[in-house]
Amino acid sequence: MTETDIPPVLVTGATGRIGRLVVGRLLDAGVPVRALTRRSEATAALPPQVEVFSGDLSVPESLDPALRDAGAVFLVWTAPPRTAAAVVERLAAHVRRVVLLSSPHRTPHPFFQQPNPVAALHAGIERLIAATGLESTIIRPGMLASNSPAWWAPAIRTGEVVRWPYGAAESAPVDDRDVAAVAARTLRQAGHAGGDYVLTGPESLSQAAQVAVIADALGIRIAFEEMTPDEFRHVSRGTAPGPVVDMLLTAWSAAVGQPAYLTTSVADILGTAPRTFRQWVADHATAFTEGSAGS
């Protein structure tokens, strides 16, 4: 089968952290890629081989041109929930396979069992997809390694103490590149219909230990100091919504005293071990030392 015989894959969220990596992995595999974008200027971040369509998940009918003759969709929900049912209905009318970027809300670890509006949104979309009979795969990354610069780089760049709540809370940061590789594999390879994959990194690390890994990888000394939850709420004002801050604090509190939830899903699907947090930091060192974070 030539590349022209392969139905294109539509990637929503194609300029986001995971979406743009999925685009690259699909192109590397010879799969034609379409990208859905709300802003024309965002196309500059995409490879020239990508066929770009203007569309918005909040306007379901705007997806129709991008879906025509597509074979599969990588769905990253980036809109309010009110149009989810209409969007899923359109997907079912046009394509055979959907891979949804969801969250580990069904994972029986207290870190993932705290009230979370994003998890509730994902659960609703999963139910809608299941009701259509589409070939669907759900991928559920845990804590992304790429969150770390947003949290700790500002203090690291200025040589300040990293102050953070619940330093003993453990997670298993997963590399964005591994998440994207799993998504691309399940989009283009048979055998993953009905798959439900929780994706984690290979090791459980406390938040304080993650900062220590960053320090070692950068070859610098970084002091870590515990911050109270109320202090975190205060310093987070204006940078994150209050419910998100409360959700994180509750999740970190619930994770103290037990190892993170680990899976073998990345290795099972890709045949290679997931990258470590140290690898992510080493490959993205400039995210901690200059400018803004990026994958």
Side-chain angles (χ1 to χ4, degrees), residues 194-208:
D196 191 317
Y197 305 123
V198 177
L199 309 180
T200 73
E203 56 191 339
S204 178
L205 294 168
S206 71
Q207 299 197 95

Side-chain angles (χ1 to χ4, degrees), residues 52-78:
V52 179
F53 287 81
S54 177
D56 192 324
L57 294 172
S58 65
V59 186
E61 60 272 19
S62 70
L63 276 63
D64 289 348
L67 289 169
R68 195 165 294 119
D69 299 322
V73 173
F74 179 56
L75 182 59
V76 182
W77 194 264
T78 56

Side-chain angles (χ1 to χ4, degrees), residues 58-224:
S58 65
V59 186
E61 60 272 19
S62 70
L63 276 63
D64 289 348
L67 289 169
R68 195 165 294 119
D69 299 322
V73 173
F74 179 56
L75 182 59
V76 182
W77 194 264
T78 56
R82 60 181 176 78
T83 58
V87 167
V88 171
E89 182 180 342
R90 276 183 148 75
L91 299 186
H94 286 281
V95 302
R96 178 171 53 89
R97 179 179 300 178
V98 172
V99 174
L100 174 68
L101 182 68
S102 189
S103 51
H105 60 86
R106 297 173 64 179
T107 303
H109 189 286
F111 183 82
F112 299 114
Q113 289 302 311
Q114 310 314 308
N116 182 342
V118 174
L121 170 64
H122 286 155
I125 295 172
E126 290 168 29
R127 287 192 293 270
L128 290 169
I129 291 173
T132 66
L134 276 163
E135 290 184 14
S136 65
T137 306
I138 312 297
I139 58 174
R140 307 180 187 276
M143 192 64 74
L144 292 171
S146 60
N147 287 338
S148 55
W151 292 344
W152 302 318
I156 293 170
R157 291 187 192 114
T158 56
E160 298 175 12
V161 173
V162 170
R163 303 187 70 246
W164 205 251
Y166 298 110
E170 298 192 25
S171 61
V174 59
D175 195 301
D176 304 50
R177 294 168 294 186
D178 288 333
V179 177
V182 167
R185 182 70 60 87
T186 58
L187 282 161
R188 65 180 179 83
Q189 185 181 69
H192 296 285
D196 191 317
Y197 305 123
V198 177
L199 309 180
T200 73
E203 56 191 339
S204 178
L205 294 168
S206 71
Q207 299 197 95
Q210 290 172 43
V211 172
V213 168
I214 295 167
D216 188 55
L218 298 181
I220 60 176
R221 182 180 179 277
I222 304 173
F224 184 93

